[in-house]
Amino acid sequence: MTELELSVQVAAPPATIFAAMSDWERQSEWVIGTKVKIVAGDGQSAGSEIDAVTFGVSDRMRITRWDPPHAVEVEHLGRVVRGTGVFAVRGSRFVWTERLEVPFFYPLVKPLFVLMLRRSLQRFARFAEEYR
């Protein structure tokens, strides 16, 4: 099990940050190499499921907590990606936390994975600041 927590300052109100981070089907605009679709429910409530495909790897998630404009928690249900994630708004910061069961090769790809997440967060800040 590994835990990652990354955050970015966003020049937008908390409600806008929350709306941008939970606009699942537009995540491809800021998460590098990812396409997301809602596969069960409305994507805006606990029990809904989304599927994020990143560089060909499916990451199906179930929303376990929906608390606007503060946080969304998900459970990763896939074979490769398992664990929990939290997307949170703390004031004007977007905080992305992952607690994952990692495959044996994770130490080899961790630096690239973290770099990708950091770049995605920079892209998120611009996305949220212009969000409509």
Side-chain angles (χ1 to χ4, degrees):
M1 185 71 80
T2 192
E3 181 173 325
L4 290 171
E5 183 172 290
L6 300 165
S7 67
V8 67
Q9 189 75 25
V10 181
T16 301
I17 298 169
F18 185 89
M21 78 179 194
S22 59
D23 190 342
W24 308 116
E25 293 183 338
R26 290 186 63 195
Q27 266 194 6
S28 64
E29 295 178 42
W30 59 274
V31 179
I32 297 169
T34 299
K35 297 278 186 202
V36 179
K37 64 181 176 178
I38 298 167
V39 294
D42 61 5
Q44 304 289 299
S45 59
S48 295
E49 293 186 9
I50 58 177
D51 187 39
V53 178
T54 303
F55 299 115
V57 177
S58 174
D59 178 12
R60 188 161 179 146
M61 293 169 262
R62 179 178 301 122
I63 297 171
T64 56
R65 179 173 163 236
W66 181 262
D67 182 21
H70 308 289
V72 176
E73 293 181 16
V74 299
E75 177 184 5
H76 297 278
L77 305 171
R79 289 185 211 161
V80 176
V81 183
R82 300 194 59 80
T84 59
V86 179
F87 300 99
V89 179
R90 296 187 188 140
S92 60
R93 291 195 77 72
F94 169 53
V95 182
W96 185 351
T97 306
E98 295 285 357
R99 289 176 197 88
L100 302 172
E101 297 172 24
V102 296
F104 71 93
F105 57 82
Y106 178 73
L108 298 173
V109 299
K110 181 180 179 182
L112 184 58
F113 179 64
V114 171
L115 177 63
M116 184 186 83
L117 289 179
R118 287 185 202 278
R119 292 265 166 86
S120 292
L121 286 177
Q122 292 167 350
R123 290 169 51 147
F124 175 79
R126 289 189 301 277
F127 174 78
E129 289 163 1
E130 299 170 358
Y131 186 74
R132 304 274 179 261

